[in-house]
Amino acid sequence: MDTKSLPDIQSHRDLHIWIIENLEMVPVPESAYGNFFEEHCYIVLHVPQGLKAAQGAAKDLHYWIGKKADTEAQAVASTFLRRLQETLGSATVLHREVQEHESDCFCSYIRPGIIYRKGGLASALKHVETNMYNIRRLLRIRGRKHVSATEVELSWDSFNKSDIFLLDLGKVMIQWNGPKSSNSEKARGLALTRSLQDRERAGRAQIGVVDDEDKASGLMEIMEAVLGSRVGSLFTVLPNKTITQLQKARVHLYRVHEKGKDLVIQELATCLLTQDLLHEEDCCILDQGGVKIYVWQGRRSKPPELRSSFSQALGFIEAKGYPPYTNVEVLNEGAESAGFTQLFRRWSKDQDKTANLRWIQKPGQAEADLSRLHSQPERAARLRMVDGGAGKVEVWCIQDSGRQPVEPKHHGQFYAGNCYLVFYTYQRMGHTKYILYLWQGQEATAQEIKALNGNAEELDLLYHGALVHEHVTMGSEPKHFFAIFQGQMVVFQGSAGHSGRGQPASATRLFHVQGTDSYNTRIMEVPARASTLNSSDIFLLITGSICYIWFGKGCSGDQRVMARKVVTVVSGNMDQETVLEGQEPPHFWEALGGRAPYPSNKSLPEDVSSFQPRLFECSGHNGHLVLMEVVFFSQDDLDKYDVMLLDTWQEIFLWLGEAVSKQKEEVVAWGREYLQTHPARRSQTIPIVLIKQGHEPPTFTGWFLAWDPYKWTESENNQSYRELVEGSLDTITAITEITAEVNNFRLSRWPSNSSPGSLALQALKGSQDRSENELELGPKVDGTSTGTSISSIGTSISISSISTSISSISTSISSISSSTSTSTGTSNYHNSPRSMINGGLPREQLMYKTAKNLPVGVDPAQKEFYLSDSDFQDIFGKSKEEFYGMAKWKQQQEKKQLGFF
């Protein structure tokens, strides 16, 4: 076997999947992505595209093992994997995946879910046959963010109260929801069901949803005709053992080497881990709580065979007594994954330092850059600024469990023993936006903190949930918070009185001045003693009659200029005297209680350039946080039922979908638990930002490669799952006569003297045995139809392309279909206008154009169809037939990226 036998890798595609069949590496068609046969092994390659590719993101190469795959298939797959790695180069991360225990990275490629199929794939058969109606199977659907469907025995014995089940009968697909399943699980199960309808049935299968058996008698009769009568009650499945954030926090680093035939493992460290523990001549194993095993190979380590790397990990797993399906990830130095690097307290890459030079501002450039943040969300996110701080500001001090307004002349003055609400209002793209900062002093009591959260919730109710809540701890304020006060922010020791002013101060006070401009300057009162000084900074010493401005030897010119601007904030009209380090008058030292040693080190900001943002779905289990990562995330990964955590390393964003019922306090507590249990021992004062769906600031949206501000306003996204299924589960029976007149398709109507079960099954079989030629004809290209279909999406009945000759029953149809939507599938291609026959429209008239700016007659929902075939191939990298054969969600994703959405 040599590299010549390897398949070509198409550069324009991000995902490639091959199945190991007859000792060969056979490509899986895109329409079959997500289907995995349990007797086979697969190789999955993800190649970053677009901006991620330009930034040098590593490729991910996965080796998937079916639970019934034999050792020969595994050995062949391993060999192909090694050959592929040699071809792709060292910037490739290798993963070992086992069926039903795949990594979050692997599951993130397969949306809306993985389908496990029984048996093996015969060579003469297609991987998945589109328009395959002669089928009868039962799928158990489970999972939260990463959904999977497993083929189970076609029997009521396979059912339980907790999961979702799909009875797939070819032309009819019935989703049965367990009574203990959540709306989120039901909605994601429906997304997978609709994906199967779209990919495997060309959108022409009917879908019915059983959410309440008593209200879906027609669908239940069909199920009983296939499965027989149900005997006994269903059981409740015990929840799977969930991996909590607490388990993932336990990390151990080992150095691994072979001594003869023995594998020698030497423990180097447990958390906290630092990057200097990794040496380029070493091979190391990082054990993340037995949940995941990383094998790290230094660039000068002895080049091991691929099977040696995996065998070392498997030997380690066996020695530790971990399950054999434990996920393994093999990384080369310089191509570490985000999950690996974030297990270390700090991480740096040489290339990142040069890559981030573009964010360094030139003198005088800051104001010009900030004025354009409304149109540059990606820059707003990196700078942590929604604007330059010129919006409207209101400040309240929390006192006696209420909020006391702070006079504008005292804005920016805080006390360490208090909590404050800072309400900021700004304009963005013609809309008013709000940020509510919850500032917590380091000396504030638990009662004051509780009152702070309660008053924030009251304000949020006044503004109908439109506020972005940012929890800020004294000393860790974000850049925009400084900008609001234009460099005049000062934190005093002690507590404010009822007037908002501080208590009487001592005669001698010392203030530390930190910052170089109006967007990063803070003045903080510190203990008035000599040991508090630092040669790299500036301090203000206030005595009874004079204010000394002390310049350390290591301070910069920008620091000195800024200190002179803000000195009056604390000194008022006092006389000022500049003091250089080493030239202090005796009275200076007397005021500080005498000379004492003090540090001279420069406090450098933490380098966060090497940390990639990561997105997680949050949930709780036995009182602990459970996270599921979404890799290569986009806006489409934010679901109305979700609580999502976005970690940008400098801030923690918590995003709440509109259908989330969790209390905000519980969600914020998840953010704090995430920081407390993070293996890198993160600072507990990192700001936590709470965001509600539809009110996302640019500091959040800028981390997503493409953000559609109108996505949440679309009716499809606003329609809840319950609205999709409510009230019409049994309408199939009600419109039997109408459907029979339209296309002679009876599903659930039987003579009174016949057995409903047997006749329903006969009707179903009859519909499956209909001529495939008739099914393939579908709508003609001129928009008329040779055959009419009725599609039930969720629990609604959608009637499309009904001939005008049956107008006499249109009233009945409209009354039943008032809340439905038409299922399209690949027939979109045939239904679309044919203006492109004569060469199509120029791409300039279609790309990135709003509906009102399109040429007359162009359908805004299908702008791409009006391209010529050659332009379409050039832009999308595939033909129209290939494009419209893809799943709808993937079509939409590509259209958004290329300006046709």
Side-chain angles (χ1 to χ4, degrees):
M1 186 182 301
D2 55 26
T3 54
K4 292 182 180 180
S5 61
L6 294 177
D8 294 332
I9 297 174
Q10 300 178 33
S11 59
H12 69 276
R13 287 174 52 192
D14 60 345
L15 191 63
H16 302 74
I17 302 180
W18 298 274
I19 185 173
I20 305 303
E21 185 186 9
N22 296 331
L23 307 184
E24 293 184 358
M25 196 170 165
V26 180
V28 174
E30 277 194 84
S31 60
Y33 281 10
N35 289 269
F36 292 88
F37 285 88
E38 61 184 6
E39 293 183 2
H40 286 271
C41 292
Y42 289 76
I43 293 176
V44 177
L45 170 65
H46 181 267
V47 182
Q49 301 290 319
L51 182 60
K52 290 185 179 293
Q55 293 175 343
K59 305 175 183 67
D60 288 277
L61 191 56
H62 301 258
Y63 160 36
W64 186 91
I65 305 170
K67 64 182 181 182
K68 293 186 178 180
D70 57 33
T71 54
E72 184 180 23
Q74 295 183 40
V76 172
S78 177
T79 303
F80 274 119
L81 194 71
R82 176 162 49 89
R83 300 292 192 189
L84 264 178
Q85 185 198 21
E86 292 171 357
T87 302
L88 296 170
S90 60
T92 306
V93 179
L94 307 177
H95 308 258
R96 178 180 178 269
E97 314 281 357
V98 178
Q99 181 178 344
E100 297 180 356
H101 300 281
E102 294 85 357
S103 65
D104 289 343
C105 182
F106 184 89
C107 293
S108 295
Y109 310 139
I110 313 298
R111 302 173 190 175
I114 297 173
I115 301 172
Y116 303 118
R117 303 189 63 176
K118 287 185 176 181
L121 178 67
S123 302
L125 298 178
K126 296 179 181 178
H127 201 92
V128 170
E129 296 181 32
T130 304
N131 299 327
M132 184 175 57
Y133 294 101
N134 189 21
I135 187 173
R136 190 180 301 174
R137 63 178 174 177
L138 180 65
L139 298 175
R140 182 189 64 210
I141 302 174
R142 56 173 47 174
R144 297 193 316 274
K145 199 64 180 176
H146 301 313
V147 178
S148 65
T150 304
E151 191 171 344
V152 294
E153 182 185 356
L154 197 65
S155 166
W156 283 115
D157 293 337
S158 300
F159 284 71
N160 62 67
K161 295 181 180 180
S162 306
D163 292 327
I164 310 296
F165 290 83
L166 176 63
L167 180 60
D168 187 358
L169 302 173
K171 288 208 65 180
V172 177
M173 306 170 79
I174 301 175
Q175 178 176 317
W176 183 93
N177 296 329
K180 292 188 177 297
S181 58
S182 66
N183 279 345
S184 174
E185 292 170 321
K186 295 172 186 177
R188 287 166 183 168
L190 183 57
L192 178 57
T193 300
R194 296 176 71 171
S195 174
L196 285 172
Q197 176 204 40
D198 188 40
R199 289 183 297 170
E200 296 189 8
R201 313 294 150 76
R204 291 194 287 273
Q206 294 188 93
I207 296 176
V209 178
V210 178
D211 210 23
D212 185 328
E213 292 186 355
D214 292 336
K215 295 179 180 179
S217 57
L219 296 174
M220 287 302 298
E221 286 171 343
I222 297 172
M223 293 184 69
E224 290 177 353
V226 177
L227 303 171
S229 298
R230 190 169 67 208
V231 179
S233 59
L234 299 174
F235 63 94
T236 301
V237 175
L238 294 175
N240 293 332
K241 184 179 180 182
T242 304
I243 299 169
T244 66
Q245 180 68 9
L246 191 62
Q247 288 174 273
K248 293 181 180 179
R250 297 194 292 264
V251 294
H252 297 266
L253 183 67
Y254 302 88
R255 180 177 177 270
V256 182
H257 62 277
E258 293 180 354
K259 187 175 182 181
K261 295 183 178 180
D262 297 326
L263 185 67
V264 179
I265 301 175
Q266 174 190 2
E267 183 169 349
L268 296 178
T270 185
C271 50
L272 177 72
L273 302 183
T274 55
Q275 191 178 359
D276 57 8
L277 292 169
L278 302 174
H279 300 284
E280 59 183 8
E281 66 274 5
D282 285 343
C283 177
C284 297
I285 285 181
L286 197 159
D287 176 6
Q288 189 178 9
V291 175
K292 189 165 189 174
I293 304 298
Y294 295 91
V295 180
W296 181 88
Q297 298 174 156
R299 60 171 55 95
R300 294 181 60 188
S301 61
K302 182 179 179 181
E305 293 286 323
L306 176 63
R307 54 180 166 269
S308 175
S309 301
F310 278 126
S311 66
Q312 287 179 349
L314 295 177
F316 178 86
I317 289 171
E318 185 178 359
K320 286 285 187 178
Y322 296 151
Y325 53 75
T326 302
N327 188 253
V328 176
E329 188 172 302
V330 179
L331 319 101
N332 292 319
E333 183 178 3
E336 295 87 356
S337 63
F340 180 82
T341 59
Q342 288 199 10
L343 298 176
F344 293 77
R345 181 66 184 88
R346 290 183 177 85
W347 192 273
S348 63
K349 292 183 179 180
D350 294 337
Q351 57 266 36
D352 287 329
K353 295 178 181 178
T354 58
N356 284 278
L357 289 176
R358 63 183 184 275
W359 298 107
I360 298 177
Q361 296 177 345
K362 298 177 181 178
Q365 187 183 3
E367 290 79 2
D369 287 342
L370 294 177
S371 67
R372 295 194 295 267
L373 287 180
H374 69 280
S375 60
Q376 299 176 336
E378 69 285 350
R379 190 169 184 81
R382 289 187 177 272
L383 294 178
R384 304 170 71 191
M385 302 273 286
V386 297
D387 63 7
K392 180 183 175 182
V393 183
E394 296 177 77
V395 182
W396 295 274
C397 179
I398 303 300
Q399 292 182 344
D400 298 330
S401 299
R403 53 183 184 274
Q404 180 74 30
V406 176
E407 296 179 17
K409 64 181 180 180
H410 297 309
H411 283 183
Q413 299 179 18
F414 300 88
Y415 287 84
N418 291 100
C419 293
Y420 293 81
L421 290 171
V422 178
F423 186 38
Y424 184 76
T425 306
Y426 66 104
Q427 297 293 319
R428 177 173 172 80
M429 301 179 70
H431 297 280
T432 303
K433 301 292 184 181
Y434 310 97
I435 300 177
L436 183 63
Y437 290 99
L438 289 74
W439 189 91
Q440 178 182 322
Q442 289 181 345
E443 300 171 13
T445 64
Q447 184 178 358
E448 289 176 313
I449 296 171
K450 182 179 179 180
L452 173 71
N453 293 319
N455 279 271
E457 187 61 27
E458 287 180 9
L459 277 175
D460 194 56
L461 291 174
L462 288 175
Y463 285 85
H464 308 289
L467 308 186
V468 172
H469 292 208
E470 181 150 4
H471 294 257
V472 176
T473 303
M474 168 183 158
S476 299
E477 296 84 359
K479 191 173 183 179
H480 185 256
F481 192 84
F482 296 138
I484 291 174
F485 304 109
Q486 299 297 306
Q488 305 294 304
M489 178 184 168
V490 58
V491 181
F492 298 97
Q493 290 183 342
S495 300
H498 288 277
S499 64
R501 301 296 303 278
Q503 305 296 327
S506 60
T508 301
R509 307 177 79 179
L510 185 64
F511 293 86
H512 185 187
V513 182
Q514 300 168 287
T516 58
D517 58 39
S518 299
Y519 305 112
N520 63 10
T521 298
R522 170 182 54 217
I523 307 168
M524 187 171 292
E525 186 174 5
V526 292
R529 51 177 178 262
S531 59
T532 307
L533 300 173
N534 189 309
S535 295
S536 299
D537 291 326
I538 297 173
F539 291 81
L540 307 178
L541 176 62
I542 295 179
T543 63
S545 58
I546 194 169
C547 174
Y548 292 102
I549 308 175
W550 184 86
F551 291 147
K553 292 179 180 179
C555 67
S556 67
D558 290 336
Q559 286 178 283
R560 290 192 290 269
V561 170
M562 198 62 205
R564 289 191 175 98
K565 286 183 179 180
V566 302
V567 63
T568 56
V569 176
V570 295
S571 67
N573 296 323
M574 278 187 178
D575 293 335
Q576 300 173 9
E577 181 178 337
T578 301
V579 176
L580 301 180
E581 184 179 6
Q583 301 178 19
E584 300 88 352
H587 185 260
F588 179 88
W589 295 116
E590 291 173 5
L592 292 175
R595 292 177 181 268
Y598 55 83
S600 59
N601 58 303
K602 183 71 173 177
S603 178
L604 296 175
E606 183 180 358
D607 179 20
V608 299
S609 61
S610 297
F611 291 109
Q612 301 176 32
R614 301 175 71 191
L615 183 70
F616 304 88
E617 183 199 34
C618 300
S619 61
H621 179 72
N622 292 334
H624 291 291
L625 176 64
V626 176
L627 296 177
M628 185 172 293
E629 185 171 9
V630 181
V631 187
F632 309 108
F633 58 84
S634 68
Q635 185 183 3
D636 289 333
D637 295 308
L638 303 178
D639 187 275
K640 68 179 70 179
Y641 299 101
D642 287 335
V643 175
M644 305 298 291
L645 186 151
L646 177 66
D647 181 4
T648 68
W649 204 256
Q650 289 182 289
E651 288 174 309
I652 302 297
F653 292 94
L654 290 163
W655 183 90
L656 278 67
E658 64 181 10
V660 170
S661 59
K662 297 287 183 185
Q663 296 295 319
K664 297 183 181 67
E665 294 83 357
E666 181 181 359
V667 174
V668 173
W670 281 349
R672 293 200 175 100
E673 182 179 350
Y674 174 76
L675 290 173
Q676 291 167 359
T677 58
H678 199 284
R681 301 279 179 90
R682 305 275 289 281
S683 169
Q684 302 304 297
T685 61
I686 291 175
I688 296 176
V689 188
L690 190 68
I691 300 170
K692 290 168 284 297
Q693 181 178 352
H695 302 286
E696 299 84 0
T699 48
F700 175 81
T701 63
W703 296 108
F704 294 77
L705 290 180
W707 186 272
D708 178 7
Y710 305 105
K711 179 178 176 64
W712 310 135
T713 62
E714 297 173 6
S715 59
E716 181 181 349
N717 291 293
N718 281 330
Q719 193 176 22
S720 69
Y721 171 80
R722 188 150 299 280
E723 288 171 340
L724 282 173
V725 303
E726 200 169 53
S728 56
L729 286 171
D730 205 24
T731 51
I732 294 179
T733 305
I735 65 166
T736 302
E737 293 182 1
I738 298 177
T739 56
E741 289 182 54
V742 173
N743 62 2
N744 197 30
F745 177 59
R746 292 180 176 268
L747 191 59
S748 58
R749 181 176 175 84
W750 310 277
S752 57
N753 59 349
S754 302
S755 167
S758 60
L759 289 181
L761 197 55
Q762 292 172 16
L764 179 63
K765 185 177 185 303
S767 68
Q768 291 175 337
D769 291 341
R770 293 183 63 201
S771 169
E772 282 200 13
N773 293 330
E774 180 183 353
L775 293 172
E776 289 296 332
L777 287 174
K780 295 180 180 178
V781 294
D782 60 0
T784 61
S785 176
T786 59
T788 311
S789 65
I790 296 180
S791 178
S792 170
I793 305 300
T795 58
S796 307
I797 303 300
S798 173
I799 303 179
S800 61
S801 304
I802 299 179
S803 171
T804 55
S805 62
I806 60 167
S807 58
S808 60
I809 58 172
S810 61
T811 303
S812 300
I813 296 175
S814 62
S815 65
I816 295 168
S817 308
S818 59
S819 63
T820 64
S821 59
T822 303
S823 177
T824 52
T826 55
S827 60
N828 284 342
Y829 175 72
H830 302 287
N831 280 329
S832 300
R834 300 293 290 177
S835 59
M836 45 75 65
I837 291 177
N838 296 323
L841 294 174
R843 63 180 73 185
E844 295 80 9
Q845 296 183 20
L846 302 170
M847 296 178 71
Y848 302 103
K849 297 294 184 183
T850 59
K852 64 181 180 180
N853 294 323
L854 289 171
V856 177
V858 171
D859 180 2
Q862 289 185 284
K863 293 186 289 185
E864 77 288 345
F865 192 84
Y866 298 85
L867 292 168
S868 67
D869 290 344
S870 58
D871 278 352
F872 193 100
Q873 181 73 38
D874 181 51
I875 294 171
F876 286 86
K878 56 178 69 68
S879 68
K880 291 181 181 179
E881 286 82 357
E882 292 173 317
F883 177 79
Y884 291 113
M886 294 163 48
K888 290 182 195 175
W889 67 267
K890 200 160 188 178
Q891 293 180 29
Q892 298 284 49
Q893 191 176 47
E894 289 199 15
K895 286 163 67 171
K896 285 180 181 179
Q897 293 174 350
L898 297 172
F900 288 92
F901 186 71

